[in-house]
Amino acid sequence: MKVAVIGGGASGMMCSGKLAECGVSVDLFESNEKLGKKLYITGKGRCNVTNSCSSQEFLENIITNQKFLYSSINSFTSDDTINFFEKLGVPLKVERGNRVFPLSDKSSDIISALKRFIEKNGVNVHLNTTVLDIKKQDELFEISTTSGMYKFYDATIICTGGKTYSATGSTGDGYLFAKKFGHEVVPITPALVPIVLKDEYINQIEGLSLKNVLLSASVNGKAYKSLFGEMLFTSNGISGPIALSMSSYITKKENIKLFIDFKPALGIDKLIERIIRDVSLLKDKQISSLLQGLLPKSLVYIFLNKLSIDAQRKVRTLNANDIKNIANLLKCFELSYAGLDKLDYGIITSGGVDVKEINPKTMESKFVDGLYFAG
């Protein structure tokens, strides 16, 4: 049996290696000059391989189409993924949030392991080779490429990924192939992408990192999602773990509002008590000094401006209403949401081939025998 795998990313390498391991003749086509190009930049170059958690917990954190992934996650679990790479000689470690990374913190170790895997099993790799067209004649697939190659295969697996980070070779070719074979392509949007804000002060705090904060979103005036962790202010908005994750929840939503809780470990009453205590200790200091004990320094004047409080005032001049307003804003600091950043800046792509048209147990097209999608 001969199989063509289109796309040499993580799924393409894993898929072709596993097939070849079973004795299948596999040609792997990659348009880039090397395999796994996008893997090099994942996890800020460290490559978050998987999460060390149960299949149930894994599925609970899938935002859309959880049921579709049930068979995949249960047939090859997070533990299986960890064991796979460790057997290939890549020691792994588990960090906060059960995130799994190479012990070396180098994504190149994961790529090298996958390369060894496919080489050991005899996969025929074709680099700098773009697949131009796929046709099915009788029971065989005809593949034509930029190198002038025309070959026939018993099955074809499309592993071309989404359309974000196009510099890594993600051009959306897979969507065109899917459409050609009659598949519906759900409109694509960026996911795990920075969030754009329209607050005028944003460029003043570019690079500011916040830890242990709660980022919340409301949709149409109703509380929708809250995420705890780290975030980062950019030149035009927010990024970092919880901001990127939030983008996946709010994509395609309307009437969105975002809020930061700077003190999620304290209820409003406890926070007011703390501020009153600080006021008694700092009564002869300027109000800006009080706020520096509650916020990063670069946020103090922005924060007080929102409250219309003069930073030069003495702490002892704060009245009960001022203290309550400070506490409320610490617990609910609104950001002016402007939308998600450009498609090309998304770590992953939301949308794509409609999963209703794919067999979730095999990833085979329900329309075309021998045509599969992965990644």
Side-chain angles (χ1 to χ4, degrees), residues 236-268:
N236 67 343
I238 54 175
S239 187
I242 58 174
L244 293 173
S245 294
M246 183 62 79
S247 73
S248 292
Y249 286 98
I250 62 177
T251 184
K252 300 176 184 175
K253 300 292 183 183
E254 296 180 351
N255 300 319
I256 297 162
K257 289 188 176 181
L258 297 174
F259 308 89
I260 301 174
D261 181 348
F262 292 102
K263 302 295 177 185
L266 295 175
I268 188 69

Side-chain angles (χ1 to χ4, degrees), residues 200-206 234-235 298 301-302:
E200 293 181 358
Y201 59 79
I202 286 298
N203 59 359
Q204 301 172 35
I205 53 174
E206 179 182 359
T234 65
S235 61
S298 57
Y301 288 93
I302 293 166

Side-chain angles (χ1 to χ4, degrees), residues 105-284:
D105 283 330
K106 294 179 180 178
S107 59
S108 56
D109 285 355
I110 296 296
I111 299 167
S112 295
L114 288 169
K115 286 180 180 177
R116 291 195 301 271
F117 178 59
I118 63 176
E119 288 170 2
K120 174 186 174 183
N121 292 306
V123 174
N124 302 307
V125 178
H126 305 273
L127 298 176
N128 294 305
T129 304
T130 301
V131 171
L132 297 174
D133 195 17
I134 308 171
K135 297 177 182 177
K136 190 170 186 187
Q137 299 182 6
D138 298 324
E139 298 300 314
L140 297 176
F141 291 89
E142 181 186 356
I143 304 287
S144 58
T145 72
T146 49
S147 63
M149 182 187 301
Y150 288 87
K151 281 193 172 185
F152 290 90
Y153 300 90
D154 299 291
T156 295
I157 306 172
I158 298 175
C159 301
T160 50
K163 204 175 179 180
T164 55
Y165 275 97
S166 58
T168 62
S170 297
T171 56
D173 289 353
Y175 303 137
L176 301 177
F177 296 141
K179 284 181 178 179
K180 178 177 179 178
F181 285 104
H183 280 277
E184 182 73 22
V185 174
V186 177
I188 59 173
T189 58
L192 296 181
V193 66
I195 295 171
V196 178
L197 304 176
K198 51 189 175 186
D199 299 282
E200 293 181 358
Y201 59 79
I202 286 298
N203 59 359
Q204 301 172 35
I205 53 174
E206 179 182 359
L208 173 63
S209 179
L210 301 177
K211 294 183 178 180
N212 301 321
V213 296
L214 191 73
L215 178 65
S216 300
S218 68
V219 176
N220 294 318
K222 294 182 179 180
Y224 177 63
K225 187 68 181 178
S226 294
L227 297 169
F228 174 81
E230 301 175 20
M231 58 177 282
L232 171 75
F233 284 95
T234 65
S235 61
N236 67 343
I238 54 175
S239 187
I242 58 174
L244 293 173
S245 294
M246 183 62 79
S247 73
S248 292
Y249 286 98
I250 62 177
T251 184
K252 300 176 184 175
K253 300 292 183 183
E254 296 180 351
N255 300 319
I256 297 162
K257 289 188 176 181
L258 297 174
F259 308 89
I260 301 174
D261 181 348
F262 292 102
K263 302 295 177 185
L266 295 175
I268 188 69
D269 292 337
K270 288 290 184 183
L271 182 56
I272 289 174
E273 287 178 14
R274 174 182 167 175
I275 296 171
I276 291 172
R277 185 175 68 248
D278 290 349
V279 166
S280 66
L281 294 171
L282 302 169
K283 57 187 177 182
D284 293 323

